[in-house]
Amino acid sequence: MKYIAEVCAVLMDETERRYLKARDTLETLMGELDGVDTPSHKLTEQVDTATKDYHRAAKEYLSVAFKTKFLGQ
């Protein structure tokens, strides 16, 4: 239990970094999608993948945040 605060901080930083990267990627792709009348199959696949990554990162971030809060950090 000696390093709980340090470990929580590391995990929060890492999950926040992943969340922000996933969010930025999705926003960029959605901007590309908005600028096109008929998107290519590749672009729609990229948007689908980015959406899944964004949701996964959000769930992970929320999980770490709750665990950190539960531990009182």
Side-chain angles (χ1 to χ4, degrees):
M1 299 298 277
K2 183 176 179 180
Y3 301 104
I4 292 293
E6 181 181 343
V7 170
C8 287
V10 168
L11 290 174
M12 281 303 297
D13 289 346
E14 179 64 21
T15 54
E16 183 176 8
R17 185 191 61 76
R18 273 190 239 145
Y19 171 77
L20 293 173
K21 182 180 179 200
R23 184 190 67 185
D24 292 346
T25 300
L26 181 59
E27 286 177 357
T28 300
L29 289 170
M30 292 302 285
E32 289 180 26
L33 191 61
D34 287 341
V36 176
D37 290 333
T38 51
S40 67
H41 180 67
K42 181 180 179 181
L43 181 57
T44 55
E45 282 184 347
Q46 288 176 329
V47 169
D48 289 342
T49 300
T51 301
K52 289 176 187 174
D53 289 344
Y54 175 68
H55 288 161
R56 190 175 308 117
K59 288 176 185 177
E60 184 179 346
Y61 184 78
L62 187 60
S63 174
V64 171
F66 272 118
K67 289 174 184 174
T68 301
K69 191 74 165 174
F70 174 75
L71 291 170
Q73 301 304 313

